[in-house]
Amino acid sequence: MSYPVLGILGGGQLGSMMASSANKLNIKTIIYSNDKNAPAKNFSKEFIFGSYNDEEKIRYFCDCVDLVTFEFENIPYNTLNQINNLKPVIPKPNINKIVQDRILEKNFVNKLNINTTQYAPINKIDDLLINKDLIPGILKTTKFGYDGKGQFKIDSIQEIKNLEIDFKNKYVLEKLIRIKKEISVILTRFGSESYEIYEPIENVHEDQILKLSKIPSQINKDIIEKSKKWAILIADELGFIGTMCVE
């Protein structure tokens, strides 16, 4: 039996786990990463180092694989779209366009009647003053940024004048809320009404960085069922194929 060659964009811990799991199924993987020391190179059959905007290397990568996936949302949409014209990309590139942008992502889930904290797009300092009702809040870049990077906590209007912000980037201001717990639901969707969904995971952070996750989460049954229902709804509306995590 012959197996397809799977191309994986991104060489971090998620790419490593995908490649490792593929090995158990005798599926050859080729990792493409912009980090020459990416850990996933130790688990894949082949590793290609290059910029995600290097069209020549991307084309070579596509010539080597049968289909392509990506380990996380920070792969440029234009790159995924370019690849999709050459080889199938799963999940679809337009899904990544939504989930890599905090405003598009929030707009999407709110349209599904899944409420988020209040938020507003911020493109200049005056936008912060106009949206003063969202302060105390957290100003975040709309793209990239994790583990507290690209984020500014604003406790009062008076703090705005002291912020050193590069408005070449786009931002979103999120009203600060006090949460009791953060949970994650991991779901693998194979197609319409075909999926595996796992029990919610409880996450514990320190200084905006994940310290540990624990299962089972200590939450009530209503929240367990609601979180699973929302995860399925999001995956179905996106037409998602693959494994995703909803926090």
Side-chain angles (χ1 to χ4, degrees), residues 101 103 120-131 139-142 165-173:
D101 185 301
I103 293 177
I122 303 294
N123 298 309
K124 56 185 182 297
I125 201 75
D126 287 348
D127 292 340
L128 289 171
L129 299 173
I130 292 170
N131 291 283
L139 185 67
K140 301 178 180 179
T141 53
T142 56
I165 299 172
D166 180 6
F167 280 104
K168 291 179 183 177
N169 297 316
K170 294 183 178 180
Y171 292 86
V172 58
L173 178 63

Side-chain angles (χ1 to χ4, degrees), residues 136-139 151-156 159 163 176 178 208:
I138 300 178
L139 185 67
Q151 301 184 12
F152 305 85
K153 187 170 181 287
I154 306 174
D155 291 312
S156 66
E159 292 181 11
L163 292 175
L176 186 66
R178 302 297 178 186
Q208 295 179 286

Side-chain angles (χ1 to χ4, degrees), residues 95-110:
I95 294 174
N96 205 47
K97 190 174 185 178
I98 294 172
V99 301
Q100 70 179 197
D101 185 301
R102 290 184 172 91
I103 293 177
L104 294 181
E105 189 177 53
K106 286 179 174 57
N107 289 346
F108 176 82
V109 296
N110 276 280

Side-chain angles (χ1 to χ4, degrees), residues 87-98:
K87 294 291 171 69
V89 175
I90 304 172
K92 295 179 291 185
N94 65 315
I95 294 174
N96 205 47
K97 190 174 185 178
I98 294 172

